[in-house]
Amino acid sequence: LLAAMLTSRPFDEVVERSQTGSFDCAGASQKGGDKAVIRGYAQRYIKEIIAMLDIVPRQMLLIFKMNDCLRHVDYALGSPA
């Protein structure tokens, strides 16, 4: 769950990649469908997400937020990743 949150990828994709050992970025561009899937997971696992964030050190939460901000800046600047 944490890996999916950090990478903004659907949970099933993260699990599949970890099982296959494939970290290939082919087809990894975030599509509208991925956003809907991630939104669904967030609604489904909201209690688990909150519980996990409650036990994470505050410094780590700051790093999570910085990661999110950097991802947004990359997107805004048209970065291809």
Side-chain angles (χ1 to χ4, degrees):
L1 184 61
L2 178 62
M5 290 170 56
L6 290 177
T7 59
S8 293
R9 305 301 311 152
F11 182 68
D12 55 348
E13 181 180 321
V14 172
V15 171
E16 179 183 329
R17 286 183 182 201
S18 69
Q19 290 173 347
T20 63
S22 170
F23 297 102
D24 184 21
C25 291
S29 63
Q30 191 168 1
K31 304 172 192 142
D34 284 350
K35 288 183 182 182
V37 170
I38 292 169
R39 189 177 302 115
Y41 279 128
Q43 291 172 346
R44 182 175 177 188
Y45 295 109
I46 189 69
K47 289 180 183 179
E48 290 85 352
I49 291 169
I50 291 171
M52 187 201 57
L53 292 175
D54 192 40
I55 61 172
V56 171
R58 298 299 173 231
Q59 295 87 350
M60 196 66 159
L61 292 176
L62 181 61
I63 291 172
F64 294 165
K65 185 59 183 173
M66 185 175 60
N67 182 43
D68 183 50
C69 289
L70 289 173
R71 185 179 295 121
H72 176 73
V73 168
D74 278 345
Y75 178 77
L77 293 175
S79 182

